[in-house]
Amino acid sequence: MTTWEGLMHGIGFALQPGVLVYCVLGVVLGTFVGVLPGIGAMAAISLLLPITYYITPEAALIMLAGVYYGAQYGGSVASILMRLPGTPQSAVTSLDGYPLAREGRAGVALFTAMASSFAGSLIGIAVLVTLAGWLSRAATAFGAADYAAMMILGLVAASTIGSTSPVKSFAMVVLGLLLGCVGTDVNSGVQRFTFGRTELLDGINLVALAMGLFGVAELIANVRDPDRQGVTERIGLRGLMPRRDDLRRLPGPILRGGALGSFFGALPGTGSTLSSFLAYALERRVSRRPERFGKGAIEGVSAPEAANNAAAISAFVPTLTLGIPGDPIMALMLGALVIHGIQPGPLMLEARPEMFWGLVASFGIGNLLLLILNLPLIGIWVSMLRIPFRWLYPAILVFLCLGVYSVRGLTFDILAVAAIGLAGYLLALARFSPALLLLGFVLGPLIETNLRRAMLIGRGDPMIFLERPIAAGFVLATAGLLVLALWQAWRRRAARRRG
């Protein structure tokens, strides 16, 4: 069966009424749980897993995949309107989406997020169809040293590129790395920075950290400054459309974000959270006016949204072709397949073509359904902004607490999100970037694990990072970025002395 024949076969399979119903159910549920802060796709898929016993494995996988990418879009709604990231992946969308909403352009931001998500999914599908084999081989070519070097490059790039204060940026990254060290060391079993609290044995809850830094901090800022609550726009169809200047700036970020997300989504262990952060950092780097980012740049919405949706789709590459789940959500998907006695791997395409191609086709159909279902809902989402804030924020707090509690069932996490929120508010007052802290927190444990593994493989010799061509390339790029940052700092200092 050729690729084209397989795709046509998959479209025919995915359009069967029985399968289509589960696809619609998946994207609707995914959007709903994505909008609710903190719950996310993982909790929803976990709850739905027992239901898959009673339906066919193809329909089960299509429904669960719909929940996954539906939550990617739903998470951006709360991020843009209230700066409450519905999912960790959408935290970076709030950096520019929320300022756009405060400028009275919430409809434009939501439309951009939706269109970018759809375009990103198409890029992800194209990559999955044409490059699945190549991506699988590329993913297996990455060793521990390559992963560690690549992630360190990501951290350095995010903290140096376009930053007005590299020192503050590095401080936030280091703080994020330290917070990522909290918990039990997986190699030695030693407890680090737990202070005897059993709730910290598994580390700080990522959802609690994201909710606190972005959600609670914003609530405190709104309560302390009533003038910040002035978004009362009414949205018509014309109010959803980006301006001509916005449209001119969108294709580049979407293409770059989609390509970046497709690549990093296929690498086991990286996932869509990393992809969205790196896409944002890349846009700041290539922008002629990086100072606009964080103040309502449309590229800051489109690039991460395209990246996380593309990554959500290409994440199926290692799961289906190698049987290696790239993140916890993919591990749940793998579990759903195993429940039905299906073994993912290189032979899956020949053994279960209807499942592989049906899933690929459902990505396109599901994302199109998301576009159709959510376009009329944008006005309803935006109407939430007209609710007086004194009525809105108690409800937000309730949803936030429910979302955080639902992840691990610990009251400690609710107290933690309050403390992190207060710290996040103080950091924002001092003009520190919470996004870099979150990026350091996400990447810290991954860097540590791969760094240790690489050093074990190299028997303690750090030259392993220069002996492998991929790792050496990332190390050289990191060194180049650091030299560039130092040179720019020297130029700014020299300019201040002259001026």
Side-chain angles (χ1 to χ4, degrees):
M1 186 182 292
T2 65
T3 301
W4 178 251
E5 289 171 345
L7 197 56
M8 290 297 104
H9 177 69
I11 291 172
F13 180 82
L15 286 175
Q16 292 177 23
V19 179
L20 196 58
V21 166
Y22 285 107
C23 185
V24 173
L25 185 64
V27 297
V28 170
L29 280 174
T31 305
F32 183 68
V33 298
V35 170
L36 296 177
I39 295 180
M42 193 159 171
I45 291 174
S46 302
L47 292 172
L48 288 172
L49 210 53
I51 297 174
T52 62
Y53 281 112
Y54 306 103
I55 57 180
T56 63
E58 291 82 6
L61 198 60
I62 286 172
M63 180 180 71
L64 296 181
V67 172
Y68 185 26
Y69 54 75
Q72 305 286 340
Y73 170 71
S76 66
V77 174
S79 284
I80 290 170
L81 296 182
M82 291 172 283
R83 215 185 182 207
L84 286 171
T87 59
Q89 296 90 332
S90 60
V92 71
T93 304
S94 67
L95 298 179
D96 282 282
Y98 185 69
L100 278 170
R102 298 197 61 78
E103 290 173 13
R105 306 187 70 205
V108 172
L110 287 173
F111 180 83
T112 301
M114 190 172 59
S116 301
S117 297
F118 180 66
S121 68
L122 293 182
I123 294 171
I125 292 168
V127 169
L128 182 62
V129 169
T130 57
L131 299 176
W134 181 84
L135 280 174
S136 297
R137 289 191 293 276
T140 52
F142 268 64
D146 307 319
Y147 275 115
M150 178 187 73
M151 292 173 191
I152 292 171
L153 170 63
L155 278 185
V156 172
S159 55
T160 57
I161 293 169
S163 172
T164 53
S165 176
V167 175
K168 287 185 176 179
S169 300
F170 272 119
M172 284 292 92
V173 168
V174 171
L175 183 57
L177 290 172
L178 289 174
L179 291 176
C181 291
V182 174
T184 306
D185 182 355
V186 292
N187 290 315
S188 64
V190 172
Q191 295 180 21
R192 302 182 301 195
F193 309 117
T194 59
F195 305 103
R197 302 287 307 197
T198 55
E199 298 91 341
L200 289 173
L201 290 179
D202 291 332
I204 297 172
N205 182 358
L206 172 61
V207 174
L209 187 68
M211 292 291 117
L213 284 176
F214 293 95
V216 176
E218 187 60 29
L219 284 178
I220 296 172
N222 275 306
V223 170
R224 284 184 55 84
D225 184 5
D227 292 339
R228 292 165 59 90
Q229 307 161 16
V231 183
T232 56
E233 63 175 327
R234 289 182 180 275
I235 295 287
L237 189 60
R238 184 175 293 180
L240 304 180
M241 294 305 296
R243 300 167 185 154
R244 184 176 297 179
D245 180 52
D246 296 331
L247 291 173
R248 183 180 56 78
R249 300 207 308 261
L250 283 181
I254 290 174
L255 289 173
R256 285 187 289 270
L260 200 75
S262 299
F263 178 72
F264 282 100
L267 294 177
T270 51
S272 51
T273 304
L274 175 63
S275 303
S276 57
F277 274 98
L278 291 182
Y280 186 82
L282 176 65
E283 285 311 309
R284 282 180 64 177
R285 173 60 182 155
V286 301
S287 174
R288 292 179 179 175
R289 296 176 58 196
E291 69 279 3
R292 290 188 298 106
F293 282 75
K295 299 172 184 172
I298 200 89
E299 300 95 323
V301 176
S302 60
E305 285 300 313
N308 68 35
N309 260 48
I313 289 173
S314 64
F316 283 88
V317 172
T319 306
L320 295 180
T321 60
L322 300 174
I324 301 172
D327 57 30
I329 293 178
M330 285 297 113
L332 286 176
M333 296 283 186
L334 197 65
L337 291 175
V338 173
I339 284 172
H340 288 275
I342 297 168
Q343 183 61 47
L347 299 178
M348 186 180 168
L349 192 59
E350 286 78 20
R352 304 297 293 255
E354 72 286 353
M355 173 172 282
F356 183 85
W357 290 112
L359 182 65
V360 171
S362 79
F363 290 146
I365 295 168
N367 277 281
L368 185 62
L369 287 171
L370 271 178
L371 199 67
I372 296 168
L373 290 173
N374 282 288
L375 194 60
L377 290 178
I378 289 180
I380 297 173
W381 296 131
V382 175
S383 67
M384 286 195 300
L385 296 175
R386 294 198 295 273
I387 301 173
F389 194 74
R390 63 181 181 280
W391 298 349
L392 195 59
Y393 82 82
I396 293 172
L397 275 177
V398 170
F399 280 121
L400 197 148
C401 292
L402 283 174
V404 171
Y405 186 77
S406 69
V407 178
R408 301 197 299 182
L410 295 176
T411 311
F412 176 83
D413 286 342
I414 298 177
L415 300 175
V417 81
I420 293 168
L422 181 60
Y425 174 68
L426 296 175
L427 288 172
L429 285 181
R431 298 184 182 280
F432 284 92
S433 169
L436 290 173
L437 189 155
L438 192 62
L439 182 61
F441 180 81
V442 170
L443 288 184
L446 295 172
I447 291 174
E448 183 186 1
T449 303
N450 286 288
L451 197 63
R452 281 182 163 185
R453 198 174 294 158
M455 294 302 284
L456 280 174
I457 294 170
R459 300 188 177 187
D461 186 0
M463 288 303 290
I464 191 173
F465 291 97
L466 297 179
E467 290 168 355
R468 294 182 59 85
I470 299 174
F474 287 129
V475 169
L476 289 175
T478 305
L481 276 178
L482 287 173
V483 170
L484 181 65
L486 289 173
W487 180 67
Q488 288 176 334
W490 177 81
R491 281 188 62 190
R492 280 197 294 268
R493 193 172 177 180
R496 279 199 298 270
R497 282 181 180 172
R498 286 195 300 269

